[in-house]
Amino acid sequence: MALKGFEDFEIVGVDVSEPTVRYASEHGVASCVTANALEVLPRADVVILCMHPRGIVDFMARYRDDFKAGCLVTDVCGVKTAIMEGAEVLPEGVDFIGCHPMAGTEFSGIEHAFPEMFQRSHLILTPRASSTAEHLALMERLADHIGCADVVRTTPEEHDAILAYTSQMMHIIAVSVCDDPMLFTCKGFEGSSFRGCTRVAALDVGLWTQLFSMNSPALLAALDRLEDNLHAYREAIASGDREALAKKLDYSASRKRKMDLSGPDLLE
Amino acid sequence: MALKGFEDFEIVGVDVSEPTVRYASEHGVASCVTANALEVLPRADVVILCMHPRGIVDFMARYRDDFKAGCLVTDVCGVKTAIMEGAEVLPEGVDFIGCHPMAGTEFSGIEHAFPEMFQRSHLILTPRASSTAEHLALMERLADHIGCADVVRTTPEEHDAILAYTSQMMHIIAVSVCDDPMLFTCKGFEGSSFRGCTRVAALDVGLWTQLFSMNSPALLAALDRLEDNLHAYREAIASGDREALAKKLDYSASRKRKMDLSGPDLLE
């Protein structure tokens, strides 16, 4: 939906789900929609794989000989090391650039799709050393077309280490907060900080089980740091030393202010 | 600003800060603004105390003999037990209803005020056993006027136990996440879950030091539950048992979906 009108590309949607294909046809999501990848894969100049991580890896292995020579394959997945390794299966001459748009909601399914989703978001790319300048330039123009704020280039390893912190940890916090026995009694007593922190707890279980598992060393390291930082606050509060607590809060609040993060927040 | 036009009340603003009083006059925030509480307190039918918690307690003690007989005193503070105890100092015939509107941003100061802030928020009331029906009805109409979604009545103790979870814990999470050494390197890699979770870390240090300290038993209990729930997720990920992890995620995500929280989210 966001790609519509991108240069002179014809946009073809492929999905194994019959209801999704029907919805896409009825809503004009693409110029053409099919459940049969083989029908369109051999003539696709750019292939964007938008399945769960294992689905992406499996698709590349299964269809390795059906990609068009010289084409660009990319994805939208929240882990990159495992995807880049999976892409090794592609034949010589098929380029792969890992991609992770930092956009999304807690909802799944085509009925929750909307073309503005990528607006003002970061688009992270993990190219191969051999990725062509033409394909990188294409991804930059694509990011611009769908409304991204910027394009950030990094390695798969750095992506996974940082995303364990900025995304996966946020999801573990959200589900952990929802495990609190007070969850249901607190209705009527919650404000925007609670909604902001717990929103993503309503997650796609299959997807996130894969993301957490495929990036567990970095995620465990991030969670250990979080446990330490939370516990230090617990101890500062327990000590009753208000001056020390104020100093600690001042330190953290200053760090946050220095970040000055602005961006779209898909909360309604 | 939100009270403007509420029935036939004259709205008088009082603040000790000269720049705040000037800003309020210049922007027509109230019908009349003064730095001298004694000028207006003896003729006020309703007094809304909007300082930090200790400021509220001190104000009531200092001006206990200057309130109008039969008036209603209320507040907007995030702890209620300490405030209700402080209100014991008020003379017979001066009513007090504790109040906590679940609305706010991470910004302080009158220049960040806007009249729509309370829209669709909960307004929590902790009345005294002796609070009059007239005063309770007044608070209900006031909540309606400023746009609140509903009015929730509870005890100060229940308020403080629940708010330790829904609000104070969210702030401790936000500052703890910002203490991570990766904070500054992660710029460009963050999405809305990170912004939603860390937004409130840019907090008013003086205010929150008081709120955390004045409610430390309930907050420590909430933080202990969080540490346990986070650690259980850490162990589920470390075990490598994907089925167990998926089951756990399904449990938490279902709880979140059952909550179905909607409300205003002051993120831009």
Side-chain angles (χ1 to χ4, degrees):
Chain A
M1 290 160 77
L3 285 171
K4 205 167 275 186
F6 178 53
E7 301 180 354
D8 57 354
F9 283 93
E10 178 193 5
I11 299 164
V12 180
V14 180
D15 202 283
V16 289
S17 149
E18 177 52 39
T20 298
V21 168
R22 199 180 323 117
Y23 183 102
S25 305
E26 286 171 10
H27 292 77
V29 166
S31 330
C32 149
V33 189
T34 173
N36 184 2
L38 272 180
E39 245 178 50
V40 291
L41 205 52
R43 57 187 175 89
D45 297 303
V46 181
V47 179
I48 309 180
L49 300 171
C50 308
M51 295 88 89
H52 289 192
R54 281 185 206 291
I56 293 174
V57 171
D58 293 348
F59 187 95
M60 292 190 290
R62 179 169 171 192
Y63 294 106
R64 67 178 301 280
D65 298 322
D66 302 305
F67 290 95
K68 181 174 171 179
C71 79
L72 168 64
V73 183
T74 181
D75 74 316
V76 296
C77 179
V79 287
K80 291 271 77 82
T81 310
I83 298 293
M84 297 302 287
E85 283 169 7
E88 301 280 339
V89 80
L90 297 174
E92 184 83 25
V94 171
D95 197 359
F96 187 89
I97 298 180
C99 176
H100 183 193
M102 293 303 296
T105 73
E106 68 274 31
F107 302 110
S108 305
I110 195 168
E111 67 277 17
H112 295 293
F114 55 99
E116 300 81 11
M117 192 171 77
F118 305 98
Q119 273 173 25
R120 296 197 293 147
S121 300
H122 307 295
L123 191 89
I124 308 174
L125 297 182
T126 58
R128 288 172 168 177
S130 63
S131 290
T132 68
E134 289 72 24
H135 287 158
L136 280 163
L138 175 69
M139 290 303 289
E140 298 261 357
R141 299 197 307 276
L142 186 151
D144 189 59
H145 182 80
I146 65 178
C148 293
D150 49 26
V151 173
V152 181
R153 252 191 243 187
T154 185
T155 62
E157 294 74 24
E158 196 192 30
H159 170 277
D160 288 358
I162 297 182
L163 267 285
Y165 169 56
T166 58
S167 171
Q168 299 184 348
M169 188 206 275
M170 301 306 114
H171 287 74
I172 294 293
I173 289 172
V175 288
S176 298
V177 167
C178 289
D179 280 356
D180 195 290
M182 242 184 209
L183 180 71
F184 297 117
T185 50
C186 89
K187 214 164 171 176
F189 293 83
E190 86 293 342
S192 61
S193 64
F194 190 83
R195 287 188 296 270
C197 178
T198 59
R199 178 179 61 88
V200 293
L203 44 72
D204 176 333
V205 172
L207 172 63
W208 287 93
T209 302
Q210 290 189 18
L211 292 172
F212 295 147
S213 304
M214 292 168 103
N215 197 29
S216 62
L219 177 55
L220 290 172
L223 290 176
D224 289 344
R225 299 194 308 266
L226 174 65
E227 281 189 42
D228 288 348
N229 289 326
L230 271 173
H231 199 73
Y233 262 110
R234 194 226 175 271
E235 294 304 294
I237 293 160
S239 77
D241 182 344
R242 286 170 191 215
E243 217 168 302
L245 177 59
K247 211 173 149 187
K248 198 165 160 52
L249 286 170
D250 192 51
Y251 170 80
S252 311
S254 308
R255 285 171 67 83
K256 169 63 179 146
R257 281 194 199 95
K258 241 180 245 157
M259 275 295 279
D260 186 29
L261 293 178
S262 65
D265 288 285
L266 302 167
L267 310 178
E268 275 153 51
Chain B
M1 291 161 77
L3 285 170
K4 203 166 276 186
F6 179 52
E7 300 181 356
D8 56 354
F9 284 93
E10 179 193 4
I11 299 163
V12 180
V14 180
D15 203 283
V16 290
S17 150
E18 177 50 41
T20 298
V21 168
R22 198 180 325 118
Y23 183 101
S25 305
E26 287 171 7
H27 292 76
V29 167
S31 329
C32 151
V33 190
T34 173
N36 184 1
L38 272 180
E39 246 178 49
V40 292
L41 205 51
R43 57 184 175 90
D45 297 304
V46 181
V47 180
I48 309 179
L49 300 171
C50 308
M51 295 88 88
H52 288 193
R54 284 187 202 291
I56 293 174
V57 170
D58 292 348
F59 187 94
M60 292 190 289
R62 179 170 172 189
Y63 294 106
R64 67 179 301 282
D65 298 321
D66 302 305
F67 290 95
K68 181 175 173 178
C71 79
L72 168 64
V73 184
T74 181
D75 74 314
V76 296
C77 181
V79 286
K80 292 271 74 81
T81 310
I83 298 293
M84 298 301 287
E85 283 169 8
E88 302 280 340
V89 80
L90 297 174
E92 184 84 23
V94 171
D95 197 0
F96 188 89
I97 297 179
C99 176
H100 183 192
M102 293 303 295
T105 72
E106 68 275 31
F107 302 110
S108 305
I110 194 168
E111 68 276 18
H112 295 293
F114 55 99
E116 300 81 11
M117 193 171 75
F118 304 98
Q119 273 172 26
R120 296 195 292 145
S121 298
H122 306 295
L123 191 89
I124 307 174
L125 298 183
T126 59
R128 287 172 168 175
S130 63
S131 289
T132 69
E134 288 72 23
H135 286 158
L136 279 164
L138 176 68
M139 290 303 289
E140 297 262 357
R141 299 197 307 276
L142 187 150
D144 189 57
H145 182 81
I146 65 177
C148 292
D150 51 24
V151 174
V152 181
R153 254 192 242 185
T154 186
T155 62
E157 295 75 22
E158 196 191 29
H159 170 277
D160 288 359
I162 297 181
L163 266 285
Y165 170 56
T166 57
S167 171
Q168 299 184 349
M169 188 206 273
M170 300 307 116
H171 287 74
I172 294 294
I173 289 172
V175 288
S176 298
V177 167
C178 289
D179 281 356
D180 195 290
M182 240 182 210
L183 181 70
F184 297 117
T185 50
C186 88
K187 215 167 172 174
F189 293 84
E190 85 293 342
S192 61
S193 64
F194 190 83
R195 286 188 296 270
C197 178
T198 60
R199 177 179 61 90
V200 293
L203 44 71
D204 176 332
V205 172
L207 172 63
W208 287 92
T209 302
Q210 290 189 18
L211 293 171
F212 295 146
S213 303
M214 293 168 101
N215 197 30
S216 61
L219 177 55
L220 291 173
L223 290 177
D224 289 345
R225 300 196 306 268
L226 175 65
E227 281 189 41
D228 288 348
N229 289 326
L230 271 173
H231 199 73
Y233 262 110
R234 194 226 174 271
E235 294 304 294
I237 293 160
S239 78
D241 183 343
R242 286 172 191 213
E243 216 169 303
L245 177 60
K247 211 173 150 188
K248 198 165 161 50
L249 286 170
D250 192 51
Y251 170 80
S252 311
S254 307
R255 286 172 67 82
K256 169 63 178 145
R257 281 194 199 96
K258 244 181 241 156
M259 276 292 280
D260 187 29
L261 293 179
S262 65
D265 288 284
L266 302 167
L267 310 177
E268 276 152 49

